[in-house]
Amino acid sequence: AESVLFFFHGVAGSSEVWRSQIDHFGRQGYEMVIPDLIGHGMSATPQNLNAYTFDEIASDLLVLFDLLCKKRNVLVGHSYGSSFAAVIARNRPTRVSKLIMISGGSPTPLAPQPGLFQAPVCCLDCFTPLLHHQFFKSAFHKKSKTCGLRDRAFDIPSYVLKGIMNGQIWDEGDAEFHEWINAPTLLIHGKHDQLVSVEEEKEMVDAIFDCNLVVVEDASHMVMMEKPSEVNELIQNFLL
């Protein structure tokens, strides 16, 4: 196979959120690279919070991409993972043939949010059940039947979550940055996403030259877990 699919998950997820895509595209014979971001899934969880900054993760993923890319490479990012996909598409324009961003939102610079994640880790630990509850409420559609898999979408130590949330510093991620992306781009959005609005997705459509948006019914932020066959078909058609 001369082409590789790269999948990048978002905050608090892991490669497991792509389980349905792994099964589907594996059967099709695609080569896939599906990393767990640092602090997530099976990856190392260093105590040093500087390990979790945007720049650190982006440079890790660029190294990984350079090692494993082939002639044609397709990047698929979900949520925060979309930002890293955009960075690779922008920095490796001749290598990235297609870009897919799922629940990615608008082309906006990132900065740490004030509030809960500034609290000491011991306090965050107390809030973990609440954070889980809020996330599942916001990220999954109420009709969603993904109960058994849900826990894979949010499973992360408190100190890593703190590091990730405070490390979201990406000053250059504005519309102008995205205007330089020349790979054909597909945006996939769950209609009932409470974390990202369709208006934000439309701002991304305006920024990237060759970009289309598809809204999936009865789905929220974790659209690839909630509506796997629809999302797999959208990706497959886009690849072909």
Side-chain angles (χ1 to χ4, degrees):
E2 281 294 283
S3 58
V4 186
L5 305 182
F6 288 81
F7 290 87
F8 304 121
H9 67 80
V11 174
S14 71
S15 53
E16 283 296 322
V17 302
W18 300 110
R19 177 53 49 204
S20 303
Q21 288 68 46
I22 294 168
D23 294 345
H24 177 85
F25 291 101
R27 283 196 301 271
Q28 309 277 332
Y30 281 96
E31 193 171 318
M32 290 173 282
V33 177
I34 309 165
D36 287 334
L37 301 185
I38 190 162
H40 294 70
M42 304 294 252
S43 285
T45 55
Q47 294 284 341
N48 177 2
L49 295 186
N50 294 332
Y52 302 110
T53 61
F54 184 89
D55 288 345
E56 279 293 312
I57 299 170
S59 59
D60 285 350
L61 293 178
L62 269 167
V63 169
L64 185 78
F65 179 81
D66 288 342
L67 274 172
L68 299 173
C69 67
K70 295 219 166 151
K71 198 167 178 182
R72 278 185 296 279
N73 304 285
V74 177
L75 307 179
V76 187
H78 174 253
S79 196
Y80 192 36
S82 298
S83 302
F84 300 114
V87 167
I88 297 171
R90 170 79 201 264
N91 283 285
R92 300 289 185 270
T94 58
R95 293 254 169 208
V96 175
S97 50
K98 302 252 165 110
L99 172 63
I100 299 165
M101 296 196 277
I102 301 173
S103 318
S106 61
T108 310
L110 299 176
Q113 300 300 311
L116 186 58
F117 297 108
Q118 308 302 329
V121 171
C122 56
C123 300
L124 265 186
D125 281 335
C126 305
F127 284 111
T128 299
L130 182 70
L131 285 170
H132 275 221
H133 177 73
Q134 266 311 105
F135 175 80
F136 294 131
K137 228 173 87 169
S138 307
F140 288 93
H141 184 47
K142 55 185 181 299
K143 289 188 189 169
S144 175
K145 298 186 175 52
T146 45
C147 297
L149 302 172
R150 279 185 178 209
D151 294 342
R152 297 171 178 179
F154 195 101
D155 182 15
I156 187 175
S158 298
Y159 71 89
V160 173
L161 185 59
K162 181 180 166 80
I164 289 278
M165 298 306 284
N166 289 317
Q168 292 192 0
I169 304 162
W170 185 31
D171 295 334
E172 57 177 9
D174 59 7
E176 195 181 337
F177 177 93
H178 290 82
E179 282 165 11
W180 286 90
I181 291 173
N182 59 15
T185 302
L186 172 66
L187 306 183
I188 299 175
H189 178 75
K191 187 174 182 180
H192 301 279
D193 193 334
Q194 292 176 41
L195 300 172
V196 174
S197 70
V198 74
E199 286 71 35
E200 290 174 285
E201 300 279 14
K202 286 174 178 167
E203 287 173 33
M204 187 65 86
V205 173
D206 293 340
I208 297 177
F209 173 67
D210 180 1
C211 187
N212 286 301
L213 168 63
V214 178
V215 177
V216 179
E217 297 286 332
D218 292 337
S220 180
H221 194 64
M222 305 303 296
V223 54
M224 71 285 188
M225 293 176 78
E226 298 176 285
K227 291 287 177 184
S229 46
E230 284 91 326
V231 169
N232 293 345
E233 194 178 335
L234 286 170
I235 295 173
Q236 181 121 25
N237 292 341
F238 185 58
L239 295 181
L240 301 174

